Amino acid sequence: MSRGRLVTSGVPQESILGPVQFNTFISDIDSGIECTLSKFADNTKLSGMDDTPGGQDTIQRDLDKLKKWPHMTVMQFNKAKFKTLHQGWGNPQYQYRLEDEGINSNPVENNLGILVDEKLDISLQYALTAQKANRILDCIKRSVTSRSREMILLLCSALVRPHLKYCIQFWSPQYIKDMDMLEGLQRTATRMIRRMEHLSCKVRLREFWFFSLEKRRLQEDLIAAFQCLEGTYKKDGERLFSRACSDRTRGDGFELKEGRFRLDRRKIFFMMRVVKHWNMLPREVADAPCLETLKVRLDGALSNLS
């Protein structure tokens, strides 16, 4: 172990060891916290049930504990970023405090690039995603003279598609108007290719072996489900999904159990909407021995869908 040294400045951004060092330094921030404290780099969120006085008191006690942490670590919270997001119908909108100052409430918050509002309506996220992708497509159209297939597909895959795929397990659209808005982005991109302007969108997608964005979202959902059931996140998957065991089911002897919920909003959650599609997968796809095999077999299965 090296000797101690006074650090008078922050950890350099975008460094290899920076996030590890920072996470190590703040690892004890959730010590004694009763509610859920989510940490991602320097983004920290405290969440709990505040529909009862007891729940509100628990959250406030945790905030009081967090107030003491900067004094012990010689760090400071960024008070300008303190925000409260009250979710749910009939929420009492309790006024929380940190360091003797009230925390302002917002109807919508940006959570690691995803807009979340008080009613879990993600329409704002669709509009934001479409806006970003449209700006990039417009920039490509104005700054790139080549209209070759290779150039346009390369630029769209590298610059546009990441925005359309980012965290779609959370914000995947369910309404036709939102799906059409996003599908229009892919139509615009393929129309930029030379000698493809006058073909229909279906013909262009078939020509380039492209899936519609709806199929791509389904593909990403099923890949994430496989990771939770059989892959990297299997430990977390045991909490997210319930298996319906039966000798009459396919291959490995299980299907996913469809959950029961009171609110329609729950049916659009990833853990709910992916169950039906997973149970409908062909046996050879669901029984894939590894992720790479699953991707290959899944491509074939989705290609046969209308």
Side-chain angles (χ1 to χ4, degrees), residues 209-227:
W209 293 92
F210 270 13
F211 287 151
S212 66
L213 293 178
E214 183 180 5
K215 279 189 181 181
R216 284 192 176 278
R217 289 190 294 269
L218 174 58
Q219 182 184 43
E220 294 294 331
D221 274 357
L222 293 171
I223 289 174
F226 180 86
Q227 290 282 67

Side-chain angles (χ1 to χ4, degrees), residues 78-132:
N78 187 346
K79 296 183 180 180
K81 292 186 176 181
F82 288 167
K83 293 291 185 298
T84 300
L85 178 63
H86 298 284
Q87 293 181 321
W89 297 100
N91 193 294
Q93 305 278 322
Y94 185 79
Q95 176 68 57
Y96 295 102
R97 305 182 65 83
L98 182 64
E99 296 184 353
D100 299 325
E101 294 184 17
I103 304 177
N104 296 327
S105 62
N106 271 10
V108 60
E109 276 297 313
N110 189 318
N111 189 8
L112 299 178
I114 304 297
L115 291 178
V116 183
D117 77 352
E118 54 194 0
K119 295 182 176 63
L120 283 179
D121 185 354
I122 329 231
S123 293
L124 280 174
Q125 179 62 32
Y126 311 145
L128 177 67
T129 301
Q131 187 182 52
K132 288 181 180 178

Side-chain angles (χ1 to χ4, degrees), residues 25 28-29 31 65-75:
F25 195 77
D28 64 339
I29 192 174
S31 177
K65 294 174 184 176
L66 290 175
K67 180 179 66 176
K68 303 174 183 177
W69 185 80
H71 301 292
M72 297 185 294
T73 57
V74 200
M75 292 188 72

Side-chain angles (χ1 to χ4, degrees), residues 122-180:
I122 329 231
S123 293
L124 280 174
Q125 179 62 32
Y126 311 145
L128 177 67
T129 301
Q131 187 182 52
K132 288 181 180 178
N134 267 321
R135 284 202 300 262
I136 296 172
L137 286 173
D138 187 58
C139 182
I140 293 174
K141 188 183 298 183
R142 288 186 288 105
S143 59
V144 179
T145 57
S146 174
R147 290 293 182 266
S148 68
R149 167 179 173 170
E150 292 75 14
M151 177 61 70
I152 298 301
L153 295 186
L154 178 63
L155 290 172
C156 290
S157 297
L159 302 177
V160 179
R161 190 178 298 171
H163 291 286
L164 304 178
K165 293 175 59 177
Y166 175 69
C167 203
I168 58 172
Q169 281 73 36
F170 185 82
W171 63 265
S172 182
Q174 300 297 313
Y175 302 114
I176 294 177
K177 64 180 182 65
D178 296 322
M179 294 181 185
D180 289 343

Side-chain angles (χ1 to χ4, degrees), residues 1-6:
M1 181 165 47
S2 62
R3 289 175 294 179
R5 173 173 293 186
L6 181 64

